[in-house]
Amino acid sequence: MITISNLRIEDKKELSYLFCDIQDDVKNKKTEVWFSVSSQYKEYLCTELADAFLLGLLPIAIKHNQDITVDAAVSPRLLYNLRTGIEPMYQKIFKKSGCTKITVRETKDINFNGKGVATGCSLGVDSLSAIYSHLEKDIVDEFKLTHLTLFNSGQLGDYDLEASEQNFLNTVEEIKPFAESLNLNILAINSNFNSLYKDTGIHVLQTVAVRTIAFAMSVQKLLRHYIFGSTYPIDMIKFDCLDTEHQEAAFLPLLSTENLSTFLADQYKTRVDKTAYIRTKPYVSKYLKVCWAEQTAYEVWQNTTFLEGKTKTNCGWCDKCLRTLLTLEVLNNGNLDDYKEQFELKKYYEHRDAYIKKIFAERKKNSFYQEIVDLIIEKEYPIDKSVLRKYRRQNKKETQKSKFRSLLRRIINKILRR
């Protein structure tokens, strides 16, 4: 049994904290869990409803077959969606998980009348596309952005808790100039929620949407709408035990309360579509940040020596840097001059030709690679002729196989109708 109780607000220096007590009977451990914001947002911290804590803890409870008791009020809509939608989804994601019984002291339909509209600001392609698309002139006023958010919810590091917090603090400083350029407020929320997920066997990719919206719910007195930047287009929705980013279109509508509505941005756009869109927008070339090098060094290789020579925000040769720069190169007809301050372009050109061979060879296993291959073919962009010849041979064989299968199906159907 996991019990959530004693919601309260405390001030420490220039920060305000939303606390609750978490009692885990299986671990026989009591933990103070908190969200913190700058004091200017104190009035928006939500003690009236335990939505943020319940949502954030649910994946852990489901994974380990534990029930949850909430000694506080919960939004009716959220409770209904957790029981009927989110829990069944996670039972598919976490194999061999059981049913989790959610018991709450009461449900309350409270109208906080929040006016804020927010979206995350990682400065990546998905993030920037969501930001600019919700600043367009034809966006309904109710959905125009008022805040850019940064949450220490796992995506800034999920293993080394001290490093993730320092990364969070550093990133807040990094995004300030961009937010000021767009005349938007920054809503930064820190938390120790990562400590609860450590050693649970749950990867951050399995809980990205849930953890993000849990943070937003901690200030649902402020936020009326939260815009979640999509990772994949909606036609790629699927259930996968490793990566719930494929399920965002199913998850997001269920992560709402009577006060906070959640929406998936750009759900019909591919990564190439988003890159093509943002490259024309102001400040993008100056602030675009897609690099995976540091996260890979700390969390995958546990070896940071190769970072010593990194002098720019984007290394230029990790997979995300390569695919972003290659897409921009094709879209800009070879011109990458606007990105030379943010990317190590020398590293990019050293790895470019090998990377093109890689994406053509592995395109069937990686949708991001397939998008870039399709763009290269559509634009007739000049690349190694041997790569193109091999691609055309393979494409011809695949077309012939498809025609043969189609003919075989027609013959079988004709026989069955006799």
Side-chain angles (χ1 to χ4, degrees), residues 125 270-280 284 288 323-336 338-339 348 352 371-372 374-382:
V125 171
T270 65
R271 185 66 58 82
V272 166
D273 292 335
K274 295 172 188 175
T275 307
Y277 170 67
I278 66 171
R279 73 190 174 101
T280 64
V284 167
L288 180 61
R323 76 186 188 211
T324 303
L325 285 171
L326 181 56
T327 304
L328 287 167
E329 178 187 339
V330 177
L331 289 169
N332 293 337
N333 198 28
N335 185 1
L336 291 175
D338 289 344
Y339 301 91
Y348 167 67
R352 173 188 179 276
E371 291 174 25
I372 303 173
D374 292 342
L375 179 67
I376 290 171
I377 299 303
E378 177 192 343
K379 298 289 186 182
E380 297 182 349
Y381 194 73

Side-chain angles (χ1 to χ4, degrees), residues 126-153:
D126 298 332
S127 168
L128 291 173
S129 183
I131 291 168
Y132 281 102
S133 65
H134 285 81
L135 293 173
E136 296 284 6
K137 292 181 180 179
D138 59 351
I139 284 289
V140 177
D141 287 344
E142 182 183 325
F143 290 89
K144 284 188 176 176
L145 287 183
T146 59
H147 292 76
L148 300 181
T149 67
L150 187 74
F151 300 153
N152 186 15
S153 57

Side-chain angles (χ1 to χ4, degrees), residues 407-417:
L407 177 61
L408 186 60
R409 281 197 299 269
R410 288 200 300 271
I411 293 172
I412 291 172
N413 288 337
K414 189 173 182 180
I415 293 172
L416 290 174
R417 286 197 296 268

Side-chain angles (χ1 to χ4, degrees), residues 352-412:
R352 173 188 179 276
D353 292 344
Y355 189 70
I356 290 174
K357 291 179 181 178
K358 177 182 178 179
I359 66 168
F360 271 82
E362 299 179 13
R363 69 188 190 281
K364 294 297 181 182
K365 298 182 290 184
N366 188 312
S367 62
F368 295 130
Y369 294 174
Q370 184 66 66
E371 291 174 25
I372 303 173
V373 168
D374 292 342
L375 179 67
I376 290 171
I377 299 303
E378 177 192 343
K379 298 289 186 182
E380 297 182 349
Y381 194 73
I383 60 170
D384 190 321
K385 291 182 180 179
S386 65
V387 175
L388 277 178
R389 283 196 297 268
K390 186 176 181 180
Y391 166 78
R392 285 167 180 154
R393 285 197 302 269
Q394 291 175 340
N395 213 35
K396 185 177 180 180
K397 288 180 181 179
E398 290 167 5
T399 301
Q400 290 172 341
K401 286 181 181 179
S402 178
K403 287 181 178 179
F404 175 75
R405 286 193 293 266
S406 178
L407 177 61
L408 186 60
R409 281 197 299 269
R410 288 200 300 271
I411 293 172
I412 291 172

Side-chain angles (χ1 to χ4, degrees), residues 209-378:
V210 165
R211 288 205 234 180
T212 298
I213 303 306
F215 275 61
M217 285 181 182
S218 71
V219 288
Q220 59 182 307
K221 289 182 179 179
L222 169 67
L223 298 182
R224 182 177 186 179
H225 301 307
Y226 191 87
I227 312 299
F228 191 91
S230 62
T231 306
Y232 298 99
I234 196 169
D235 58 356
M236 292 186 64
I237 188 171
K238 65 179 181 179
F239 282 92
D240 188 302
C241 63
L242 295 178
D243 187 353
T244 57
E245 290 176 325
H246 279 287
Q247 299 141 35
E248 292 164 347
F251 265 105
L252 262 295
L254 298 173
L255 303 180
S256 296
T257 70
E258 285 73 10
N259 289 286
L260 177 67
S261 297
T262 60
F263 299 90
L264 189 62
D266 303 319
Q267 54 187 304
Y268 292 97
K269 288 182 180 178
T270 65
R271 185 66 58 82
V272 166
D273 292 335
K274 295 172 188 175
T275 307
Y277 170 67
I278 66 171
R279 73 190 174 101
T280 64
K281 298 301 180 182
Y283 315 115
V284 167
S285 61
K286 183 177 179 180
Y287 293 106
L288 180 61
K289 181 181 178 182
V290 299
C291 191
W292 262 353
E294 291 189 21
Q295 189 168 354
T296 301
Y298 284 105
E299 298 188 3
V300 180
W301 295 341
Q302 285 82 50
N303 181 353
T304 61
T305 54
F306 79 94
L307 294 175
E308 294 173 4
K310 184 171 178 278
T311 61
K312 297 183 180 179
T313 301
N314 300 285
C315 72
W317 63 269
C318 71
D319 193 80
K320 283 191 76 175
C321 282
L322 284 164
R323 76 186 188 211
T324 303
L325 285 171
L326 181 56
T327 304
L328 287 167
E329 178 187 339
V330 177
L331 289 169
N332 293 337
N333 198 28
N335 185 1
L336 291 175
D337 288 347
D338 289 344
Y339 301 91
K340 62 185 178 182
E341 298 301 322
Q342 283 292 95
F343 288 84
E344 297 274 8
L345 291 184
K346 182 179 178 181
K347 289 287 186 182
Y348 167 67
Y349 288 118
E350 287 175 3
H351 293 84
R352 173 188 179 276
D353 292 344
Y355 189 70
I356 290 174
K357 291 179 181 178
K358 177 182 178 179
I359 66 168
F360 271 82
E362 299 179 13
R363 69 188 190 281
K364 294 297 181 182
K365 298 182 290 184
N366 188 312
S367 62
F368 295 130
Y369 294 174
Q370 184 66 66
E371 291 174 25
I372 303 173
V373 168
D374 292 342
L375 179 67
I376 290 171
I377 299 303
E378 177 192 343

